[in-house]
Amino acid sequence: MLQILYLAQDLADPAVRRRILALVAGGGNVTLAGFRRGTNPLAAVEGIAPVELGKTADGRFVQRIGAVAGSCLSLKRKLRHVRKPDVIIARNLEMLAVARRAEALFGGEVPIVYECLDIHRLMLRGDWIGRALRKAEAHLGREARLLITSSPAFIEHYFRPLSGLQAPPLLIENKVLDTTSAAEGEPPRFVYPDPGPPWKIGWFGALRCRKSLSLLAEFTKKMEGRFEIVLRGRPASSQFEDFESFVRNEPFMRFAGAYRNPEDLPEIYGDVHFTWAIDFFEEGQNSAWLLPNRLYEGCRYGRVPIAMKGTETARFLSMRDVGLVLEEASADSLAALIGAMTPDRFADAAERIGQCHVSTWIFNRTDCEALVRRFAALTREAHGFAPAAALSEPRHKQSGML
């Protein structure tokens, strides 16, 4: 069984949980280690107790650098009971530094995979800060055997022209993890709330965009209750002064808390008609290039996505002739797009989503197994077919003891 050490920047991130579940479903034996940014019991993975490397704070980049430096000094002690991995996966730049240290402690020749699913705005700056960070990324990733990213636009706009990384890219879109599906068979049948006012727009996942929140609040008041906004997930405290108070004071918005992904997706998407697949958090950069989780989640359950013109999400939808595209980031533009929505128009938009093959939206067990096999190939390239040894064995047996 392939031994995988997964290093996470945020143990409470639901996306980390999904990746761990995928690796386990693919046949990997996973050790999870990383930093704690906040509490989220719904991010726990049954049977896996994470190794905590320290605490970090969202939006505090300098603090995170210090935490990473401290963790590298204590890593030998923290990983003393961990078997030598066959592969190390580092999620985000700071974990790439930890991965390099871990590889050295385990005796070297452990392939490192760099997983980067967002491009932080600091990485794109044209000044010395941006150049220094890109140089650090290229240095830390110079021996990475593989780069995992989630959107072709990240490769086109950042990794190829700017990053300096030489690792071959592997595109793994933010599809819904569904290990029960074979991605074949009859087209799915979806059940919707009554098609008519109040139409419901779901904004689920990482809630970090103040501009979206303000736009949707203005829009729903303009529509006088004909549209409602349902919010689920983890609001970013660094981006909102008082998220829950703001939502409570909005007559046509409600926040229904966190959820388990993928277990709760059928229920939460079954409560809405549309998916808000727009993010202005890093407008013109990361937000324009990403393909968000909610895009795949909503379409997996037949919800009609709303995307922003000029983004990779809009291009993705256009290629498949599904979804709705907002021309301008304003309540008036949104009203022009969907304000006069009718049951027939909605039914047509939903039907077009149902005509897409389900593999467009899901990452199934076969995909999980193929991913683990890809990592196993890296291991064979690095050090042959020898199984991973326990850390308690003598060093002269190549155990990788810390």
Side-chain angles (χ1 to χ4, degrees):
M1 181 176 286
L2 193 73
Q3 304 293 322
I4 302 171
L5 174 59
Y6 192 95
L7 300 174
Q9 86 291 359
D10 181 3
L11 293 172
D13 185 347
V16 168
R17 179 178 187 266
R18 288 198 306 277
R19 185 67 83 224
I20 298 301
L21 291 173
L23 294 172
V24 171
N29 185 25
V30 182
T31 298
L32 173 62
F35 293 96
R36 184 77 62 185
R37 286 192 194 175
T39 59
N40 181 15
L42 298 182
V45 180
E46 185 177 354
I48 295 181
V51 178
E52 294 198 21
L53 303 180
K55 293 184 179 181
T56 58
D58 186 31
R60 294 178 58 189
F61 197 72
V62 174
Q63 187 271 340
R64 283 158 58 185
I65 292 175
V68 167
S71 75
C72 287
L73 294 175
S74 63
L75 199 61
K76 180 177 180 178
R77 175 175 56 84
K78 293 289 183 69
L79 299 182
R80 64 186 182 278
H81 298 304
V82 174
R83 291 172 62 87
K84 180 178 180 178
D86 297 306
V87 64
I88 300 173
I89 304 175
R91 189 180 182 99
N92 286 10
L93 175 57
E94 61 258 51
M95 304 316 296
L96 194 54
V98 180
R100 289 287 303 275
R101 173 64 175 158
E103 190 229 6
L105 291 172
F106 280 113
E109 295 190 352
V110 180
I112 294 174
V113 175
Y114 179 32
E115 183 176 33
C116 183
L117 308 186
D118 284 294
I119 311 300
H120 196 282
R121 62 186 179 277
L122 291 178
M123 306 297 295
L124 298 166
R125 287 176 57 155
D127 59 8
W128 68 270
I129 294 176
R131 290 192 296 272
L133 287 172
R134 291 192 294 274
K135 186 174 182 180
E137 181 183 54
H139 173 75
L140 293 171
R142 70 185 185 276
E143 295 181 6
R145 304 295 182 91
L146 196 64
L147 165 69
I148 294 177
T149 194
S150 58
S151 170
F154 289 153
I155 299 172
E156 177 185 354
H157 295 291
Y158 177 71
F159 288 114
R160 189 171 293 144
L162 292 175
S163 73
L165 290 166
Q166 300 301 314
L170 175 63
L171 183 67
I172 303 180
E173 297 170 65
N174 289 316
K175 296 182 180 182
V176 177
L177 179 63
D178 185 351
T179 58
T180 65
S181 174
E184 299 292 346
E186 297 182 3
R189 295 189 178 126
F190 303 116
V191 177
Y192 300 92
D194 291 339
W199 298 99
K200 295 182 180 179
I201 302 173
W203 179 18
F204 304 144
L207 307 176
R208 58 184 184 177
C209 180
R210 286 176 292 180
K211 186 171 179 177
S212 285
L213 191 65
S214 298
L215 190 159
L216 291 169
E218 182 182 351
F219 166 73
T220 55
K221 285 182 283 193
K222 184 181 184 70
M223 292 292 100
E224 299 179 332
R226 296 195 299 278
F227 285 80
E228 295 178 355
I229 310 300
V230 182
L231 303 111
R232 295 289 301 261
R234 299 175 69 208
S237 58
S238 62
Q239 300 303 313
F240 304 104
E241 291 185 5
D242 191 340
F243 174 85
E244 294 193 27
S245 177
F246 179 93
V247 173
R248 278 196 304 269
N249 291 325
E250 290 298 320
F252 308 114
M253 277 189 171
R254 62 182 172 91
F255 175 56
Y259 58 92
R260 292 179 306 162
N261 189 330
E263 293 90 339
D264 295 340
L265 296 182
E267 176 187 353
I268 67 172
Y269 280 96
D271 188 39
V272 301
H273 301 92
F274 303 92
T275 302
W276 186 252
I278 296 176
D279 186 340
F280 303 106
F281 176 60
E282 291 178 352
E283 199 167 358
Q285 298 178 339
N286 187 72
S287 292
W289 303 336
L290 59 76
L291 292 172
N293 295 307
R294 58 182 69 96
L295 166 66
Y296 300 91
E297 293 167 1
C299 290
R300 167 68 179 90
Y301 297 102
R303 309 305 115 162
V304 179
I306 302 171
M308 188 69 216
K309 181 180 179 180
T311 64
E312 185 68 15
T313 303
R315 184 170 77 164
F316 178 96
L317 295 175
S318 176
M319 290 173 60
R320 292 157 180 79
D321 192 29
V322 298
L324 302 170
V325 175
L326 186 63
E327 291 289 324
E328 297 179 357
S330 70
D332 287 340
S333 183
L334 185 55
L337 179 66
I338 61 173
M341 182 60 58
T342 65
D344 286 345
R345 185 184 169 202
F346 176 79
D348 176 68
E351 182 180 359
R352 281 184 280 126
I353 294 171
Q355 291 172 352
C356 294
H357 196 279
V358 69
S359 63
T360 309
W361 319 118
I362 72 166
F363 196 80
N364 69 2
R365 186 175 295 276
T366 300
D367 297 319
C368 296
E369 292 169 350
L371 179 61
V372 172
R373 285 197 302 271
R374 182 71 179 87
F375 294 150
L378 296 179
T379 300
R380 290 193 296 270
E381 294 168 8
H383 53 260
F385 294 89
L391 287 178
S392 57
E393 294 177 2
R395 182 178 292 276
H396 69 271
K397 293 184 179 180
Q398 301 298 314
S399 67
M401 183 185 295
L402 301 188

